[in-house]
């Protein structure tokens, strides 16, 4: 019987991933944006030493020249493992996947970075459904050999830059009662509009996002704009209290979910290699519902007022309030005026 299961981080720890690698007998395919966790590097090298065939595809250095995968690459290559840069047809390969023995695939929001295993809210779906495993292997082969990959219209997976925006928009459109979304970034206007439309037809929408000061300066305008538009129509927007949010998860009507690597941003949909999976499995959904409620209870409302944004960007971040046309003096004046007004 084929099945899907879920890992939730940091709760489930690195152990299930290491166990899967240790259990491999024939082959392991790894496609990863960031790979630096020592325990996972060691597990992959140990698999190579027992004659498992291994291919590792890593995102190359970023545009600023920073190569966070250099150390892992050097250690893996020294152990005789073939490591290749991800497909240059994409600005970034942000997909985080692994296939074991051609039978078990991991679709993840987390990088193989120690902090994603121990400090951030993150997710992985494990699937043994042959069609899904095969599709992930086909894409791996295409990217490895620099060929085109087209999963076709019937694809059960969500790929960027192919069907990602359409599948996620459709998923939101079908929500009837509730929609819980965790994502660091809300920048894609098509998706923001779909979320707003869901709220306006009576869907109870809960959004969890990263605070504005974590956005890159060139993404600040659309990032904050997207959050404020949703906030203005009454959508509740929170940030996690004790963990950083890195997971990318949508849960609709308590019965179906999407988990994967996709940020809700044009760059992710149009220029990156990304992978996510839609699931309906009861035990997976139950776990996600529990986590969604737990995270919501352990979160704060994100203050998206002019004052709140100004404080977040200028006090906690490295500025950017002028890009959003936030005038601090004006706000101070307004606060004093309001105080004066209330005392009358």
């Amino acid at each position: 019987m084929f099945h899907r299961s879920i890992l939730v981080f940091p709760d489930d720890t690195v152990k299930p991933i290491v166990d899967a690698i240790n259990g491999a007998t024939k082959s392991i395919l790894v496609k990863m944006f960031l790979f630096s966790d020592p325990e996972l590097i060691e597990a992959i090298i140990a698999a190579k030493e027992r004659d498992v065939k291994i291919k590792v595809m890593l995102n190359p250095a970023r545009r600023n020249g920073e190569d966070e995968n250099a150390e892992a690459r050097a250690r893996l290559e020294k152990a005789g493992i073939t490591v290749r840069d991800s497909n240059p047809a994409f600005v970034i390969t942000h997909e985080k996947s692994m296939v074991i023995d051609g039978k078990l695939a991991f679709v993840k929001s987390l990088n193989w970075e120690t902090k994603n295993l121990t400090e951030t809210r993150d997710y992985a779906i494990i699937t043994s459904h042959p069609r899904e495993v095969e599709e992930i292997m086909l894409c791996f082969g295409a990217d490895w050999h620099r060929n085109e990959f087209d999963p076709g219209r019937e694809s059960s997976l969500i790929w960027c830059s192919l069907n990602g925006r359409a599948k996620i928009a459709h998923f939101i459109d079908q929500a009837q009662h509730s929609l819980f979304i965790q994502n660091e970034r809300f920048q894609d206007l098509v998706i923001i509009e779909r979320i707003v439309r869901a709220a306006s037809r009576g869907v109870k929408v809960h959004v969890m996002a990263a605070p504005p000061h974590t956005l890159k300066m060139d993404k600040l305008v659309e990032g904050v704009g997207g959050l404020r538009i949703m906030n203005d129509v009454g959508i509740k927007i929170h940030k996690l209290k004790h963990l950083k949010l890195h997971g990318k998860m949508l849960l609709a009507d308590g019965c179906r979910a999407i988990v994967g690597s996709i940020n809700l941003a044009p760059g992710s949909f149009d220029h990156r290699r990304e992978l996510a999976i839609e699931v309906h499995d009861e035990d997976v959904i139950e776990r996600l519902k529990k986590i969604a409620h737990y995270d919501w209870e352990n979160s704060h409302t994100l203050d998206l007022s002019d004052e709140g944004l100004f404080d977040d960007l200028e006090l906690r971040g490295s500025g950017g309030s002028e890009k959003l046309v936030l005038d601090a003096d004006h706000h101070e004046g307004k606060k004093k005026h309001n105080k004066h007004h209330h005392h009358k």
Side-chain angles (χ1 to χ4, degrees):
M1 195 53 196
F2 307 120
H3 72 286
R4 297 185 194 90
S5 58
I6 185 166
L7 300 176
V8 178
F9 297 89
D11 313 37
D12 291 340
T13 76
V14 72
K15 190 179 181 301
I17 302 177
V18 171
D19 288 350
I21 294 167
N22 290 345
T25 57
K26 294 193 194 79
S27 64
I28 302 175
L29 303 178
V30 177
K31 198 192 289 186
M32 199 52 60
F33 176 58
L34 296 175
F35 186 2
S36 60
D37 182 72
E39 207 176 331
L40 287 166
I41 292 171
E42 279 156 28
I44 291 287
I45 290 171
K48 166 72 179 168
E49 283 165 359
R50 53 173 202 276
D51 289 332
V52 176
K53 286 193 172 70
I54 297 170
K55 286 180 178 174
V56 177
M57 207 181 318
L58 298 176
N59 190 67
R62 298 191 186 215
R63 273 175 294 195
N64 64 7
E66 191 184 359
D67 187 356
E68 293 141 306
N69 294 319
E71 196 184 322
R73 184 188 302 264
R75 284 195 58 196
L76 295 169
E77 285 177 341
K78 193 178 170 196
I81 293 166
T82 312
V83 183
R84 190 167 281 192
D85 278 352
S86 48
N87 191 343
F90 301 94
V91 175
I92 283 174
T93 288
H94 196 241
E95 177 185 341
K96 305 125 181 0
S97 66
M98 172 170 72
V99 181
I100 302 274
D101 292 341
K103 291 193 171 133
L104 200 64
F106 286 63
V107 177
K108 297 171 285 214
S109 68
L110 65 136
N111 293 299
W112 279 8
E113 224 187 349
T114 310
K115 74 170 186 190
N116 280 174
L117 297 156
T118 58
E119 295 171 29
T120 59
R121 171 64 75 225
D122 261 303
Y123 304 96
I125 297 289
I126 307 168
T127 177
S128 68
H129 284 258
R131 208 167 120 196
E132 291 168 351
V133 176
E134 187 191 6
E135 203 172 293
I136 293 166
M137 288 171 71
L138 282 171
C139 181
F140 189 98
D143 283 349
W144 187 264
H145 296 292
R146 314 308 198 215
N147 295 328
E148 286 278 318
F149 167 71
D150 180 5
R153 294 181 73 89
E154 299 306 305
S155 170
S156 55
L157 297 170
I158 302 168
W159 294 100
C160 298
S161 56
L162 296 155
N163 59 17
R165 186 184 278 112
K167 286 217 172 203
I168 289 175
H170 191 53
F171 179 93
I172 295 166
D173 289 348
Q174 288 176 315
Q176 292 173 354
H177 315 291
S178 66
L179 189 58
F180 187 98
I181 308 176
Q182 287 187 339
N183 205 290
E184 283 175 289
R185 302 215 278 275
F186 291 80
Q187 292 163 355
D188 189 74
L189 281 176
V190 173
I191 299 302
I192 290 161
E193 193 272 331
R194 290 319 224 276
I195 297 168
V196 166
R197 200 186 293 184
S200 67
R201 63 171 185 270
V203 176
K204 201 169 179 193
V205 182
H206 293 77
V207 162
M208 200 165 272
H213 73 263
T214 62
L215 290 166
K216 291 195 173 80
M217 198 59 83
D218 60 340
K219 304 292 182 203
L220 199 60
V221 172
E222 63 259 48
V224 172
L227 292 173
R228 287 186 111 178
I229 286 165
M230 293 188 290
N231 191 53
D232 286 347
V233 298
I235 292 169
K236 291 189 167 73
I237 300 174
H238 281 205
K239 61 175 177 179
L240 267 174
K241 263 188 207 166
H242 306 299
L243 285 172
K244 280 202 173 97
L245 175 65
H246 183 257
K248 298 98 175 61
M249 185 270 280
L250 297 92
L251 175 65
D253 300 329
C255 68
R256 54 200 181 91
I258 288 175
V259 168
S261 69
I262 304 170
N263 284 313
L264 302 176
S268 297
F269 288 126
D270 298 326
H271 304 296
R272 294 180 169 198
R273 169 66 83 213
E274 305 267 12
L275 170 63
I277 184 169
E278 184 172 337
V279 290
H280 308 81
D281 314 61
E282 265 179 61
D283 50 343
V284 173
I285 297 296
E286 275 313 303
R287 180 97 193 267
L288 279 174
K289 278 203 287 199
K290 279 192 184 127
I291 290 290
H293 290 295
Y294 175 84
D295 282 354
W296 196 255
E297 280 161 23
N298 290 279
S299 64
H300 296 289
T301 302
L302 204 48
D303 184 354
L304 293 164
S305 68
D306 283 8
E307 293 88 344
L309 281 170
F310 186 85
D311 290 349
D312 182 73
L313 293 170
E314 299 300 332
L315 301 180
R316 299 198 52 189
S318 49
S321 59
E322 69 291 339
K323 275 189 167 236
L324 299 171
V325 200
L326 302 176
D327 179 352
D329 300 336
H330 172 65
H331 300 321
E332 286 306 313
K334 209 160 75 172
K335 273 187 194 164
K336 282 177 192 153
H337 172 77
N338 285 345
K339 267 190 194 159
H340 180 67
H341 210 66
H342 286 308
H343 290 310
K344 276 189 177 173

